[in-house]
């Protein structure tokens, strides 16, 4: 970044001189380049190359071994008729609306509570809320599977049975399975969002709220009129991360609902891509799907940024 | 203001408790591992068996040596080790060092294609379930075993070769088969006033229509469900056995998709009659509630029957329902139409040798020793009910021995008779993963009432046609 900044004013110079200057800058900052190089080298091999290669694979049929057959746009044409893929996309939208608004609200409330100077043991609570986020998602998925086991041995059904409620077959019903999945995601991610929001809250001058309260604003008014607007960049960031997080769900679904059941109700695009590539050995098609999916996420993220910055 | 803090504290504490409680609920038991075919974990009953060692092919030339790596799941590895077959191998091939790598079945299916594709990292020998075999054979990267298996072509269950071949070449060596029988609870049949004699039960339930009637009787007299079949997460395995029994499947011999054929639709509708009559119990396969019914001694909590392969008997006696010894019986499976073969296949496994193996001779020596030796096959069969695909093994007293777990019935005779008449099925194949997944969803939609059998299967078939390019 420094190089770009320093070369920018010299745009009027002839090309040779500009390159010379750039070279000098690179030599001057050689240690900086040296230290950032490992990331870029690894990214080139494990990130950039696979991305380009899968763009190419999207136009082919390939099992991962043997001949690569060029098929033009055939894969992309199939995607638009692929009901299961579009169901996976729809699932993600449904699951997103089922949990993200509630999760972000909870995270914000928690952050505000923990931001209060009167709560003692802040590091302890912060750690506790953050723990689920760093807990292995496979273990969490398995545990939720046991908690919500369909029979009476599941803790949740045992709990319900104490009140005389019949055992709920959580994983055998489209909506209950989605609810359990949402509970798992919220449990795992509320702490992460809370930490981000707590960091955001700590940058807000408390005098603003205090001044408003002196002027007669109630606590909820101060929260909604002052805190939330000032938190908007953080909220946007959390929202964008949650959109991607929901569409990218993998481990949770893989362990909790055996990869998308019942009846594909919890199937996510990433699980679908994985199944096509490594279950059916259809790497060409899976690559095409990942590009369609990438464009979708890219556009949604772009819209989110546009929408929120216009609000400002 | 004070009230405000109290509220804040209350919220913080409540949230803390909620999260702490859920965080504390880490699994105390090991997570359930998906259990797949030929799976027998422990052995409680070791059948002492004198087996005459009659090597069918004496290896010629210098014996191979070196180290070979073997990928296999525990339920297959343990019987080889614990039945003394490994020791026998080491004695015969002292210069081959076996490097065992224990993987779950799914781990094998995830790692093997990557290793084959990468051209490095594959083992010398891998065990693959038959359902997953054809996709690997068509993927490539396996050695052509045509010359090596030539001797055994006519000695293995014929249908086992169907998924091991591509373009007339052989890429796998069969180990075990999954001939299907009808398991039934003797105590339930008696309580319903029916005979619990295997021959009588075979006669009584000779078609799926008989099966429905008998189950209705059992339900009326005892309230016990006919069998377990989960609706929303149905695994399609029973449906596949029903198709295979009729010589049907997901594709025709000339490679057309038959998922929505009239026969397939009729088969699913037959299964639907059981649901409609309220005869089935909804436990999902391979979960604790499912095991609980198999092992329950109290007949009100058990299940009357279960259609499954020979390896299931081993599962019952060793770990699923050891406590229900003497309660189970084995009869012939029912057919869709009278007069059809009373047999099908579910599961079974075969060995492959990846092309990148540097020691194929040693790898083959191992594979051959396990699969094509009467003594090895029968030691393992006696130990864990892994039914030999190798037919010369059948000529053994072991096959007529009474089995105390099954109330002294000679169940191996039933397995054997079923194995001899398994029709050619078109269930497993190179597109199995895709077809199986879509048919599962179709059955789930049908059983939960979201679609008719014809519509659900049509949707699955069309999707498979789009995916595979088959007609």
């Amino acid at each position: 970044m420094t190089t770009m900044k320093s070369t920018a004013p010299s745009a009027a110079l002839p090309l040779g001189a500009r390159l010379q200057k750039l070279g000098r800058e690179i030599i001057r900052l050689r240690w900086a380049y040296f230290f950032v190089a490992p990331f870029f080298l690894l990214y080139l091999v494990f990130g950039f190359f696979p991305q380009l290669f899968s763009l190419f694979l999207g136009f082919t049929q390939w099992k991962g071994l043997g001949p690569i057959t060029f098929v033009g746009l055939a894969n992309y044409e199939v995607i638009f008729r692929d009901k299961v893929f579009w169901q996976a996309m729809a699932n993600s939208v449904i699951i997103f609306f089922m949990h993200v608004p509630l999760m972000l609200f909870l995270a914000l409330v928690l952050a505000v509570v923990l931001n209060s100077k009167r709560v003692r043991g802040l590091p302890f609570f912060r750690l506790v809320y953050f723990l689920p986020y760093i807990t292995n998602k496979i273990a969490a998925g398995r545990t939720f599977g046991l908690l919500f086991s369909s029979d009476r041995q599941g803790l949740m059904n045992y709990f319900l049975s104490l009140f005389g409620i019949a055992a709920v077959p959580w994983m055998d019903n489209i909506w209950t399975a989605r609810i359990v999945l949402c509970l798992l995601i919220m449990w795992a991610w509320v702490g992460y969002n809370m930490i981000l929001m707590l960091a955001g809250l700590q940058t807000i001058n408390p005098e603003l709220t205090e001044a408003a309260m002196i002027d007669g604003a109630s606590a909820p008014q101060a929260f909604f009129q002052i805190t939330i607007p000032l938190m908007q960049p953080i909220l946007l960031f959390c929202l964008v991360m949650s959109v991607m997080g929901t569409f990218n769900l993998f481990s949770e679904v893989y362990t909790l609902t055996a990869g998308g059941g019942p009846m594909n109700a919890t199937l996510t695009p990433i699980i679908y891509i994985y199944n096509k590539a490594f279950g059916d050995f259809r790497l060409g098609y899976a690559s095409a799907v990942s590009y369609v999916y990438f464009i979708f996420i890219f556009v949604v993220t772009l819209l989110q940024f546009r929408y929120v910055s216009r609000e400002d | 203001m004070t009230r405000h803090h109290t509220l804040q504290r209350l919220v913080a504490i409540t949230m803390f408790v909620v999260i702490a409680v859920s965080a504390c609920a880490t699994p105390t038991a090991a997570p359930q591992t998906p259990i797949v075919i030929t799976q027998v974990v422990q052995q409680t009953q070791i059948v002492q068996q004198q087996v005459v060692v009659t090597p069918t092919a004496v290896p010629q030339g210098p014996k191979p040596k070196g180290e070979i790596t073997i990928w296999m799941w525990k339920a297959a590895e343990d019987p080889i080790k614990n039945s003394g077959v490994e020791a026998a191998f080491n004695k015969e091939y002292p210069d081959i060092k076996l490097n065992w790598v224990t993987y779950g079945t799914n781990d094998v299916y995830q790692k093997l294609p990557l290793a084959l594709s990468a051209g490095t990292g594959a083992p010398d020998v891998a065990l693959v379930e038959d359902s997953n075999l054809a996709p690997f054979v068509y993927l490539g990267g396996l050695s052509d075993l045509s010359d090596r298996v030539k001797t055994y072509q006519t000695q293995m269950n014929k249908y086992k070769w169907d998924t091991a071949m591509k373009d007339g070449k052989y890429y796998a060596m069969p180990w075990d088969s999954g001939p299907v029988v009808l398991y039934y609870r003797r105590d339930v049949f008696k309580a319903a006033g029916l005979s619990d004699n295997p021959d009588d039960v075979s006669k009584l339930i000779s078609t799926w229509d008989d099966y429905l009637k008998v189950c209705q009787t059992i339900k009326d007299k005892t309230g016990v469900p006919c069998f377990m079949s989960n609706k929303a997460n149905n695994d399609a395995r029973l449906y596949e056995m029903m198709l295979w029994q009729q010589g049907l499947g997901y594709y025709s011999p000339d490679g057309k998709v038959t998922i929505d054929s009239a026969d397939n639709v009729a088969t699913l509708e037959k299964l639907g009659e059981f649901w409609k009559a309220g005869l089935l119990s909804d436990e999902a396969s391979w979960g604790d509630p499912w095991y609980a019914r198999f092992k329950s001694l109290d007949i009100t909590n058990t299940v009357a029957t279960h259609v499954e392969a020979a390896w299931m008997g081993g599962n019952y006696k060793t770990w699923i329902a050891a406590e229900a010894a003497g309660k189970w019986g084995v009869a012939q499976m029912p057919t869709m139409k009278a007069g059809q073969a009373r047999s099908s296949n579910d599961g079974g496994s075969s060995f492959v040798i990846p092309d990148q193996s540097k020691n194929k001779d040693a790898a083959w020596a191992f594979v051959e020793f396990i699969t094509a030796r009467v003594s090895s096959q029968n030691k393992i069969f006696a130990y864990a009910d892994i039914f030999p695909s190798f037919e010369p093994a059948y000529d053994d007293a072991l096959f007529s021995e009474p089995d105390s777990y099954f109330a002294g019935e000679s169940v191996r005779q039933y397995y054997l008779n079923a194995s001899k008449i398994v029709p050619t099925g078109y269930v497993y194949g190179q597109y199995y993963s895709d077809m199986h997944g879509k048919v599962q969803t179709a059955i789930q939609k049908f059983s939960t009432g979201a679609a008719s059998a014809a519509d659900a299967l049509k949707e699955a078939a069309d999707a498979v046609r789009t995916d595979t390019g088959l007609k």
Side-chain angles (χ1 to χ4, degrees):
Chain A
M1 289 308 252
T2 330
T3 2
M4 281 178 65
K5 223 177 240 170
S6 54
T7 49
S10 57
L13 290 173
L15 183 70
R18 256 155 61 198
L19 283 178
Q20 219 174 7
K21 194 161 182 217
L22 182 68
R24 271 205 305 276
E25 282 293 312
I26 291 174
I27 289 165
R28 190 172 68 82
L29 297 168
R30 60 189 178 280
W31 287 108
Y33 282 104
F34 179 75
F35 283 116
V36 298
F39 167 77
F40 284 98
L41 285 177
L42 289 174
Y43 174 71
L44 211 64
V45 176
F46 295 106
F48 188 66
F49 168 71
Q51 280 159 16
L52 273 190
F53 189 57
S54 69
L55 179 63
F56 160 72
L57 280 184
F59 300 104
T60 68
Q61 263 180 15
W62 190 46
K63 284 168 168 288
L65 232 152
I68 300 182
T69 324
F70 189 77
V71 294
L73 288 168
N75 287 334
Y76 287 90
E77 189 257 328
V78 168
I79 291 173
F80 291 96
R81 290 185 283 140
D82 186 342
K83 284 187 192 157
V84 184
F85 171 66
W86 293 107
Q87 194 191 341
M89 296 292 274
N91 286 340
S92 297
V93 174
I94 293 166
I95 291 167
F96 174 85
F97 281 108
M98 279 175 73
H99 83 281
V100 171
L102 186 59
M103 176 178 73
L104 293 187
F105 179 72
L106 275 179
L108 187 59
V109 170
L110 275 174
V112 169
V113 170
L114 289 189
N115 194 36
S116 154
K117 290 189 190 78
R118 284 152 192 127
V119 171
R120 261 165 269 153
L122 175 66
F124 173 72
F125 284 109
R126 221 165 30 195
L127 173 70
V128 165
Y129 290 129
F130 202 64
L131 267 180
Y133 170 66
I134 53 171
T135 302
N136 184 301
K137 299 293 179 288
I138 303 283
R142 287 280 188 201
T143 310
F144 268 69
L146 292 174
L147 287 177
F148 288 91
S149 171
S150 292
D151 59 305
R152 292 174 118 253
Q153 289 161 341
L155 190 62
M156 208 48 74
N157 277 343
Y158 172 74
F159 183 71
L160 292 179
S161 74
L162 296 181
F163 300 94
I165 300 170
V168 179
W170 296 100
M171 296 305 165
D172 288 350
N173 177 295
I174 290 177
W175 287 101
T176 48
R178 282 179 180 152
I179 288 170
V180 174
L181 179 64
C182 287
L183 287 175
L184 168 60
I185 306 168
M186 285 173 64
W187 175 83
W189 289 88
V190 80
Y192 168 82
N193 287 296
M194 183 209 70
I195 292 286
L196 291 176
M197 290 184 193
L198 193 56
L201 284 175
Q202 281 164 355
T203 64
I204 297 175
N205 189 341
E207 284 171 18
L208 288 173
T209 323
E210 279 165 29
M213 304 266 261
I214 289 166
D215 287 345
S218 67
Q221 272 177 327
F223 177 74
F224 286 108
Q225 309 279 338
I226 297 174
T227 313
I228 289 197
L230 287 171
M231 283 287 287
Q232 225 172 46
I234 302 282
L235 288 174
L236 172 68
F237 179 75
C238 291
L239 190 69
V240 171
M241 294 308 283
S242 301
V243 171
M244 288 195 250
T246 310
F247 280 83
N248 282 344
L249 277 178
F250 187 90
S251 317
E252 292 89 340
V253 176
Y254 198 79
T255 49
L256 185 68
T257 62
M263 283 170 269
N264 294 334
T266 57
L267 185 75
T268 62
I270 292 289
I271 295 258
Y272 186 68
I273 290 167
Y274 174 83
N275 287 344
K276 290 291 120 185
F278 302 107
D280 299 355
F281 302 143
R282 296 174 62 208
L283 292 174
Y285 185 69
S287 300
V289 172
S290 23
Y291 265 88
V292 169
Y293 168 65
F294 163 73
I295 290 164
F296 174 83
I297 292 288
F298 184 76
V299 170
V300 168
T301 310
L302 211 64
L303 286 178
Q304 280 177 314
F305 274 108
R306 279 275 165 77
Y307 175 74
V308 176
S309 54
R310 197 180 297 150
E311 291 266 293
D312 282 346
Chain B
M1 287 303 263
T2 341
R3 186 182 282 173
H4 187 59
H5 310 157
T6 324
L7 189 68
Q8 279 182 341
R9 259 178 227 156
L10 205 68
V11 171
I13 289 167
T14 320
M15 296 295 282
F16 166 71
V17 169
V18 168
I19 291 176
V21 165
S22 40
C24 286
T26 38
T28 45
Q32 297 167 9
T33 40
I35 291 152
V36 209
I37 317 184
T38 57
Q39 184 125 341
V40 179
V41 178
Q42 310 125 345
Q43 173 71 10
T44 50
Q45 217 181 349
I46 298 172
V47 183
Q48 286 295 328
Q49 185 64 38
Q50 289 288 322
V51 181
V52 189
V53 182
T54 47
T56 37
V58 180
Q60 293 158 355
K63 280 183 181 180
K65 52 178 137 186
E67 183 174 331
I68 55 167
T69 299
I70 303 158
W71 286 5
M72 203 185 278
W73 46 93
K74 196 168 161 36
E77 184 182 325
D78 281 353
I80 294 177
K81 289 181 167 171
N82 299 345
S83 63
V85 171
E86 186 196 20
F89 177 83
N90 288 337
K91 204 172 161 201
E92 188 163 329
Y93 293 97
D95 296 328
I96 298 179
K97 186 175 175 292
L98 302 179
N99 175 23
W100 299 88
V101 180
T102 312
Y103 280 130
T105 45
N106 283 331
D107 298 335
V108 173
Y109 307 142
Q110 281 166 9
K111 290 188 86 96
L112 191 58
L114 296 181
L116 293 176
S117 179
T120 174
D124 298 286
V125 174
L127 186 64
V128 179
E129 288 165 289
D130 286 359
S131 50
N132 291 63
L133 183 59
F136 278 110
V137 168
Y138 276 83
L139 177 64
L142 303 178
S143 4
D144 177 1
L145 302 176
S146 303
D147 291 337
R148 299 186 195 264
V149 305
K150 207 173 271 170
T151 336
Y152 307 112
Q153 255 174 50
T154 54
Q155 296 185 312
M156 295 287 173
N157 291 158
K158 192 171 154 285
Y159 70 94
K160 288 284 292 187
W161 297 114
D162 295 344
T163 43
M165 290 178 70
K166 182 192 161 193
D167 303 331
K169 288 183 177 148
Y170 295 76
Y171 293 93
M173 180 70 164
W175 175 9
D176 75 304
S177 302
V180 175
V181 293
L182 175 75
Y183 294 93
Y184 65 94
R185 280 286 289 242
R186 294 166 181 274
D187 46 352
V188 174
F189 273 63
K190 270 190 227 158
L194 301 167
S195 164
D196 73 329
N197 177 288
D199 291 333
D200 293 342
V201 173
S202 298
K203 248 175 249 159
L204 190 65
I205 304 178
S206 66
T207 64
W208 279 83
D209 289 326
D210 297 339
Y211 197 8
L212 189 78
K213 272 182 226 148
V214 170
C215 280
Q216 192 66 60
T217 310
I218 290 173
K219 175 92 197 233
D220 294 343
K221 297 225 169 117
T222 66
V224 177
C226 183
F227 56 88
M228 291 183 269
S229 192
N230 182 270
K231 289 180 182 172
N233 289 299
N234 194 286
D235 64 5
R237 292 288 285 267
L238 177 62
Y239 177 64
E240 287 173 355
M241 287 180 239
M242 292 171 81
L243 292 179
W244 199 325
Q245 182 271 317
Q246 303 168 75
L248 302 171
Y250 295 152
Y251 58 97
S252 63
D254 58 346
K256 291 195 179 105
V257 176
T258 58
I259 290 171
D260 56 348
S261 74
D263 284 338
N264 286 35
V265 172
T267 306
L268 185 53
E269 279 169 347
K270 184 58 70 188
L271 193 53
E273 288 175 22
F274 285 73
W275 269 306
K276 233 172 269 166
L279 296 173
L280 306 187
S281 178
D282 203 46
E283 289 82 1
S285 307
W286 306 107
D288 287 333
W290 196 68
Y291 305 144
R293 278 201 185 271
F294 287 136
K295 68 180 161 207
S296 172
L297 298 179
D298 168 12
I299 71 160
T300 51
N301 294 323
T302 184
V303 65
T305 63
H306 185 57
V307 172
E308 194 44 281
W311 42 258
M312 194 66 192
N315 285 348
Y316 282 155
K317 77 170 79 153
T318 55
W319 64 279
I320 293 180
E323 48 274 71
K327 303 282 181 199
W328 285 97
V330 170
Q332 286 179 295
M333 93 174 276
T335 59
M336 275 292 283
K337 291 178 192 130
Q340 286 175 328
R342 300 191 66 173
S343 178
S344 182
N345 179 76
D346 185 36
S349 64
S350 300
F351 283 105
V352 297
I353 299 177
D355 215 12
Q356 48 184 280
S357 164
K358 296 214 168 58
N359 202 345
K360 294 195 184 84
D361 288 338
W364 174 252
F366 174 77
V367 170
E368 191 180 42
F369 193 89
I370 302 293
T371 60
R373 292 284 175 93
V374 171
S375 59
S376 312
Q377 280 275 20
N378 281 347
K379 273 184 204 162
I380 295 167
F381 183 43
Y383 182 86
D385 285 62
I386 296 177
F387 189 87
S389 299
F390 187 54
E391 292 174 355
Y394 304 157
D395 188 18
D396 191 304
L398 176 67
F399 282 79
S400 47
E401 230 170 55
D403 190 324
S404 62
Y405 180 83
F406 291 98
E409 184 188 343
S410 306
V411 292
R412 295 192 184 101
Q413 275 301 313
Y414 277 83
Y415 302 153
L416 178 59
N417 291 337
S419 81
K420 286 178 177 163
I421 51 169
V422 176
T424 305
Y426 299 90
V427 175
Y428 300 160
Q430 63 161 318
Y431 300 113
Y432 179 72
S433 160
D434 194 35
M435 293 172 163
H436 172 72
K438 297 216 157 76
V439 169
Q440 270 184 321
T441 312
I443 297 175
Q444 292 162 4
K445 283 185 178 164
F446 166 68
S447 62
T448 54
S452 72
D455 289 348
L457 289 174
K458 176 87 171 74
E459 190 186 348
D462 285 342
V464 166
R465 287 187 184 109
T466 309
D467 283 356
T468 59
L470 300 178
K471 280 183 185 159

